[in-house]
Amino acid sequence: MSFLSAIVLAAGKGTRMKSDRPKVLHELAGRPLLYYPIALALELSCDPVAIVLGHRAAEVRAAMEALFPTAGGRLRFPVQEEQKGTAHAVLAAREALDDFAGEVLVLYGDVPLLGRPTIDRLLAAPAGRIAFLTSRPPDPTGYGRVVREADGRVARIVEERDCGPAERMLGEVNAGIYRVPAAFLWDALDRIGSANAQSEFYLTDLVALAAGQGVTAVAAPFEEVAGVNDRADLAVAAARLRARINHAHQLAGVTIAAPEGTFIDAGVRLGRDVTIEPGCVLAGDTIVEDGARIRAYSVLEDARVGPGAIVGPFARLRPGAVLEADVHVGNFVEVKNSRLGRGTKANHLTYLGDAEIGPGVNVGAGTITCNYDGVNKLKTVIGEGAFIGSDSQLVAPVEVGARAYVGAGSTVTEDVPADALALTRAPQQTVEGWAARRREKQAAAGGKPPKQRLKR
Ligand code: UD1
Ligand code: MG
């Protein structure tokens, strides 16, 4: 238990997403929408964090438990069976917060961009009374309006549908994020009715109930409190989050050549002096260590790139790709679930899947690990300092020993001992004068191409 707890409202259907997936599971920079307010609440040491679920509750809960495996007992998942409004949703969390007597932070599951400085200002408002975030969006339509007294004190919040013409003109809106003393919250919720245009229980009525004791309105930038209601909102929020993520990496010593065209997920970690060229996608829990360079148009997903390595242009690192220090992976190379040892090079047109490759290996252009037999994924092992000639296939399970050579164009099906040469290509035949004879025949036949026959 701490002094601060949180309630995250996430029971709504999200009808406007027009989706078979619950709205709060739609992703932003590689994480579901609902991840962000929960992560913020945990970062603020809120305990407990009650996440009010409704629509497809079991599925959403399982997704969150998987994302926050160490949050343990701090997360609670009350269910609001029927969505009867925001006050009704908060009430659904009452039992989960039963023994809690501090302040309650109310967050929305579909407001992912709330920044730490803004929430810190909300938390710094005078204690023991309600504080909430307000904003001035370019177009206030749809939001609850903040009504103030002549002296500037907050009087109440009026929902769009309950607004008179004068109230509708007000530009200051309720962001829906509150900090409320728990005792006041439960007492006030018992007094909130549903006599309004939507016959719903409005959490906003708290503000009018508390106005006598004074309510603190804290101004927030609109882009931080904008909710995600449809896929257009989702794209706008994603672009903002991406810009924020890129900016933070830049300040931490990463060169990003074209930030607007670089997609870095929230879970990605980048070292100092990493360079990212235009058009790259770094997804999932990718890690790129100090001084590595990700060249243009490369796609990395749950991959690990060691210090000083060079990836791309046009490379694809799939989950489980691990490149040790100074590895080079070049154009049109795909690496999946494979480790490449220090200084190993695979520079052109190659597929490496389920491979364990030692240090100092040269993987020639067009090498393919044949790792799949239609049923099983099979392993290729290449020892330190081996040389794989261009256009070779390594048919797994197979092992090429340390310092061994595979001749270009070989199909390797049996293990190659250390320091050996494996060569499987057919011997070359050279037929002198063959092309000239063919041309003559074709001319004699009035341009008709002759039957192909190999004659010495
Ligand atoms: C609410 C506020 C409005 C504010 C706006 C800011 C009320 C009555 N109005 O309006 O003043 O300007 O947010 O975005 O609070 N939810 C539930 N259960 C419910 C209803 C809602 O969990 O029964 C959740 C939704 O999933 C959502 C959040 O609460 O995450 C807000 O609900 P929403 O319906 O979007 O409220 P608004 O009408 O936008
Ligand atoms: Mg809303």
Side-chain angles (χ1 to χ4, degrees):
M1 286 290 156
S2 82
F3 179 69
L4 191 65
S5 68
I7 298 176
V8 183
L9 303 186
K13 261 207 182 67
T15 317
R16 280 173 284 171
M17 293 299 278
K18 310 249 168 72
S19 176
D20 292 334
R21 210 188 325 172
K23 171 162 94 174
V24 290
L25 293 188
H26 278 261
E27 288 189 355
L28 207 61
R31 304 251 162 104
L33 281 177
L34 185 52
Y35 166 87
Y36 295 96
I38 298 176
L40 178 65
L42 291 173
E43 187 189 314
L44 294 167
S45 302
C46 292
D47 187 10
V49 177
I51 301 139
V52 181
L53 302 178
H55 181 61
R56 314 243 300 255
E59 193 180 334
V60 178
R61 176 178 179 156
M64 292 307 120
E65 285 177 332
L67 275 173
F68 296 99
T70 57
R74 285 168 73 190
L75 298 188
R76 313 219 171 136
F77 297 91
V79 174
Q80 182 197 20
E81 297 291 353
E82 246 185 294
Q83 279 80 66
K84 296 187 195 162
T86 44
H88 184 256
V90 169
L91 259 180
R94 186 176 192 156
E95 221 172 291
L97 266 66
D98 211 17
D99 41 359
F100 180 82
E103 303 254 3
V104 181
L105 181 63
V106 177
L107 302 171
Y108 283 2
D110 55 2
V111 176
L113 297 186
L114 204 52
R116 185 63 199 267
T118 301
I119 206 79
D120 283 345
R121 281 192 292 118
L122 178 71
L123 297 179
R129 53 194 246 186
I130 291 193
F132 72 112
L133 294 182
T134 71
S135 191
R136 291 186 171 274
D139 174 11
T141 307
Y143 287 91
R145 306 297 204 285
V146 178
V147 180
R148 291 182 182 255
E149 306 285 4
D151 62 4
R153 281 180 303 130
V154 173
R156 61 202 154 89
I157 295 167
V158 189
E159 289 308 291
E160 168 99 13
R161 290 191 224 199
D162 303 297
C163 276
E167 288 163 335
R168 194 162 289 129
M169 298 295 286
L170 295 170
E172 187 186 19
V173 306
N174 168 34
I177 311 293
Y178 316 78
R179 193 208 66 197
V180 196
F184 174 82
L185 178 65
W186 308 127
D187 176 63
L189 284 176
D190 287 338
R191 290 184 279 147
I192 288 179
S194 58
N196 52 56
Q198 298 188 90
S199 303
E200 280 190 1
F201 296 89
Y202 287 168
L203 189 57
T204 44
D205 289 352
L206 280 185
V207 170
L209 289 173
Q213 296 106 281
V215 171
T216 311
V218 176
F222 178 63
E223 57 267 27
E224 287 189 27
V225 297
V228 172
N229 291 311
D230 55 33
R231 306 215 196 201
D233 293 341
L234 186 67
V236 169
R240 286 196 180 113
L241 181 56
R242 224 158 44 226
R244 216 191 260 181
I245 289 170
N246 290 355
H247 189 68
H249 286 303
Q250 288 172 316
L251 295 188
V254 175
T255 294
I256 303 178
E260 24 353 289
T262 300
F263 293 65
I264 303 176
D265 274 359
V268 171
R269 281 178 285 158
L270 304 176
R272 198 180 162 97
D273 286 320
V274 163
T275 297
I276 302 175
E277 294 184 5
C280 291
V281 177
L282 277 62
D285 294 320
T286 290
I287 298 173
V288 181
E289 294 183 67
D290 294 356
R293 175 178 281 264
I294 311 301
R295 303 205 53 199
Y297 302 107
S298 294
V299 177
L300 285 65
E301 185 184 358
D302 296 325
R304 184 167 190 139
V305 176
I310 300 175
V311 174
F314 300 102
R316 180 173 184 208
L317 303 186
R318 291 172 52 203
V322 177
L323 313 188
E324 290 181 3
D326 304 317
V327 162
H328 292 186
V329 163
N331 43 270
F332 310 109
V333 172
E334 174 180 344
V335 182
K336 184 217 77 173
N337 189 33
S338 294
R339 171 180 288 271
L340 277 60
R342 176 183 281 269
T344 282
K345 294 187 170 71
N347 271 333
H348 332 266
L349 303 160
T350 285
Y351 172 60
L352 299 172
D354 305 302
E356 185 70 44
I357 303 175
V361 170
N362 195 306
V363 179
T367 296
I368 291 175
T369 54
C370 309
N371 62 326
Y372 186 51
D373 64 3
V375 182
N376 303 300
K377 294 287 162 71
L378 303 161
K379 194 164 176 177
T380 300
V381 178
I382 303 176
E384 169 167 8
F387 182 98
I388 312 299
S390 295
D391 195 26
S392 292
Q393 303 90 53
L394 305 171
V395 183
V398 73
E399 185 166 345
V400 177
R403 298 168 305 279
Y405 270 66
V406 170
S410 292
T411 301
V412 178
T413 53
E414 282 164 31
D415 288 353
V416 182
D419 297 305
L421 165 71
L423 186 65
T424 72
R425 60 175 183 248
Q428 178 171 328
Q429 302 182 47
T430 306
V431 185
E432 293 287 346
W434 182 89
R437 289 198 294 279
R438 183 180 191 275
R439 274 196 305 276
E440 280 158 24
K441 271 192 197 158
Q442 185 164 354
K448 208 173 140 246
K451 274 226 161 85
Q452 299 275 17
R453 202 173 295 129
L454 204 62
K455 213 190 308 160
R456 277 167 199 276

